[in-house]
Amino acid sequence: MRDTKLPGDKGLVLKSRAKHHAISAQLLRPFSFTNKPLILQYEVNFQSGIDCGGAYVKLLTQTPDLDLAQFVDKTPYTIMFGPDKCGEDYKLHFIFRHKNPKTGEFEEKHAKKPDADLRTYYTDKKTHLYTLVLNPDNSFEVLVDQTVVNSGSLLTDMTPPVNPAAEIEDPDDNKPDDWDERAKIQDPDATKPEDWDEDAPAQVPDESAVKPEGWLDEEPEYIGDPDALKPDDWDEDMDGEWEAPQVPNSKCESAPGCGEWKRPMIDNPNYKGKWKPPMIDNPNYQGVWKPRKIPNPAFFEDLDPFKMSAFNAVGLELWSMTSEIFFDNFFITDERNTADRWATEGWSLKKSAESAAEPGLATQMLSAAEERPWLWVVYVLTVALPLVLIIVFCCTGKKIPAADYKKTDEPQPDVKEEEEEEEKAAQEEDKSSPVAETEAVVEEDAAEAEEGEEAEEGEDGEEEEKAEELEQDTEADEKLEEDILRRSPRNRRPRKD
């Protein structure tokens, strides 16, 4: 194998593309279909994939003139089994040649197509085990990697069927001339209504239509190109009179239309078309004619197609557009347990080695992206989008500063506009507060003091007494004002820890 996971393991390799290949080997003894099953299994690895070609094996029929040195596609075989692919058609053949007991001729019988998806076995470049099991009760199983992908009966699931139909259509039987296959006929008693007008047109001019204003009746829709010039090599004797190519009339671009105006056509409400008699059931209807059935002269009934022709050799006869197809461990037996043990000791080792050597998830993703570059877009979106969302929600959110107010503090405004409104209201209240009254009392006392001083300028003793009283009153007023301001909640400052 080109990239073997088991050192020293070898097999057959188809090396050339677009070539015919053949190789065969004699069995230790012929295989005869008696009362024991047939188990055929072998391994295939499409190391380079497969474009168009087969990897099936043939069990060659035991005949006196079998010469393996002359093994070709015409060499008789009993069973052909294995994978085959061309284009997007993935096949897994199981074909056996059945002998007609009446004529002695052989006819190929093909098993139904598997329902399973076989694509992976042709594209994953791994070693796969193909197994065919035929049982004496005419049942069969097709397995890939010891998993059943197709099963059925040789009597009911082959194409064409093993046993022909007991009756066939008489090839000499002919349909009578008076045989009536018409299920419906025209009513012979029907007559055309008197008001049915077959000559009425399907469409008529719209009488309600009015020519648009600005329609240019005298202007043609197309005119000769005024900028066109007759070619110098134009020969009127050979080419005829030269005419400028037609171009759209520029005057019609701004108008509703040009040329002769005609009313638009509409569906004719009185149109009925050609009259036809209605259809009725045919009283003489006899059904669809079929030839009569006669006994099939070639009929036979083989209830035991399992008993096929014996074979004594196995071979590969292939043509492929892909090289490097690897074959190994061909095994033919009549014991299922032996075949399973052989698979465990051979193919299972390769499967385990290939599985152990498989690349990790990251490597598989990179390999897939190399084959399908559009996967890079998926990878980028899958990784980048969550990161962008995390950054947007976690790093660009609006930060709200934490408040340092104590539980005993008064409620604080949350909006700047509310703060300004409350400040204005507080100023208006302050004007009517005891502080304002105190200021007014101070001003009145000051005025009275000035009047006393003017009236009693000559009395020094009285002035000193009044001045002392005034000073005492002023100090009392100031203390009262400070006390009121200190107790007012609006003048408190938020405390900071």
Side-chain angles (χ1 to χ4, degrees), residues 57-228:
V57 63
K58 291 182 177 180
L59 303 181
L60 304 181
T61 305
Q62 183 182 19
T63 59
D65 55 350
L66 177 61
D67 183 4
L68 298 183
Q70 302 298 323
F71 175 38
V72 292
D73 58 338
K74 301 298 183 183
T75 301
Y77 67 89
T78 300
I79 291 175
M80 189 178 89
F81 170 70
D84 187 15
K85 185 251 182 183
C86 198
E88 291 300 316
D89 189 10
Y90 298 85
K91 299 179 180 178
L92 184 52
H93 291 298
F94 165 41
I95 305 171
F96 77 94
R97 295 171 73 244
H98 180 261
K99 184 178 180 180
N100 189 317
K102 280 196 169 184
T103 62
E105 296 179 354
F106 285 89
E107 184 179 20
E108 291 184 350
K109 308 295 182 181
H110 296 249
K112 64 179 182 180
K113 189 175 181 179
D115 296 330
D117 185 7
L118 306 176
R119 183 188 302 267
T120 304
Y121 305 126
Y122 298 78
T123 58
D124 61 1
K125 301 179 182 180
K126 294 182 179 180
T127 303
H128 295 287
L129 180 69
Y130 295 88
T131 306
L132 171 64
V133 179
L134 290 180
N135 297 307
D137 63 355
N138 298 315
S139 64
F140 69 88
E141 287 183 334
V142 176
L143 301 90
V144 180
D145 297 345
Q146 298 182 313
T147 300
V148 177
V149 297
N150 196 8
S151 61
S153 171
L154 300 178
L155 291 170
T156 59
D157 297 305
M158 307 302 292
T159 304
V162 170
N163 296 312
E167 291 183 331
I168 61 172
E169 294 180 348
D170 185 358
D172 299 327
D173 189 15
N174 297 317
K175 183 174 72 172
D177 295 337
D178 60 349
W179 190 277
D180 196 344
E181 292 184 336
R182 299 174 300 167
K184 297 282 187 178
I185 61 172
Q186 292 181 349
D187 186 359
D189 300 329
T191 58
K192 183 175 71 172
E194 295 180 358
D195 60 346
W196 192 284
D197 185 3
E198 293 184 346
D199 299 328
Q203 289 189 324
V204 294
D206 186 3
E207 298 297 335
S208 62
V210 179
K211 183 173 69 174
E213 295 183 2
W215 189 280
L216 304 178
D217 297 87
E218 304 300 330
E219 290 291 338
E221 189 174 357
Y222 289 91
I223 60 174
D225 188 357
D227 299 329

Side-chain angles (χ1 to χ4, degrees), residues 428-446:
E428 293 177 356
E429 292 178 358
D430 290 343
K431 291 179 180 180
S432 60
S433 64
V435 177
E437 296 178 355
T438 304
E439 291 177 352
V441 171
V442 172
E443 292 177 355
E444 292 178 356
D445 292 343

Side-chain angles (χ1 to χ4, degrees), residues 184-348:
K184 297 282 187 178
I185 61 172
Q186 292 181 349
D187 186 359
D189 300 329
T191 58
K192 183 175 71 172
E194 295 180 358
D195 60 346
W196 192 284
D197 185 3
E198 293 184 346
D199 299 328
Q203 289 189 324
V204 294
D206 186 3
E207 298 297 335
S208 62
V210 179
K211 183 173 69 174
E213 295 183 2
W215 189 280
L216 304 178
D217 297 87
E218 304 300 330
E219 290 291 338
E221 189 174 357
Y222 289 91
I223 60 174
D225 188 357
D227 299 329
L229 300 176
K230 184 174 70 173
D232 297 335
D233 57 351
W234 188 273
D235 188 350
E236 293 190 354
D237 295 334
M238 297 291 294
D239 303 325
E241 183 181 358
W242 182 83
E243 295 180 357
Q246 298 290 303
V247 296
N249 191 344
S250 59
K251 296 181 180 180
C252 299
E253 294 180 357
S254 58
C258 292
E260 182 184 0
W261 180 80
K262 296 181 180 180
R263 297 180 183 275
M265 303 297 288
I266 60 174
D267 293 335
N268 185 0
N270 299 321
Y271 174 75
K272 297 182 179 181
K274 187 175 179 59
W275 181 83
K276 295 180 181 180
M279 302 298 289
I280 61 173
D281 293 336
N282 184 2
N284 299 321
Y285 176 66
Q286 296 174 271
V288 178
W289 182 85
K290 294 181 180 179
R292 63 173 176 266
K293 296 285 187 178
I294 60 173
N296 185 0
F299 173 73
F300 63 85
E301 188 174 29
D302 182 2
L303 299 179
D304 200 7
F306 170 77
K307 294 183 177 179
M308 307 174 189
S309 302
F311 61 89
N312 64 342
V314 59
L316 297 171
E317 185 274 314
L318 306 170
W319 181 91
S320 176
M321 287 299 296
T322 306
S323 60
E324 301 298 330
I325 303 176
F326 182 88
F327 301 88
D328 200 4
N329 292 334
F330 293 88
F331 191 69
I332 301 170
T333 183
D334 56 13
E335 296 181 358
R336 185 73 176 267
N337 294 334
T338 305
D340 292 341
R341 186 175 70 252
W342 182 270
T344 302
E345 295 176 355
W347 170 77
S348 295

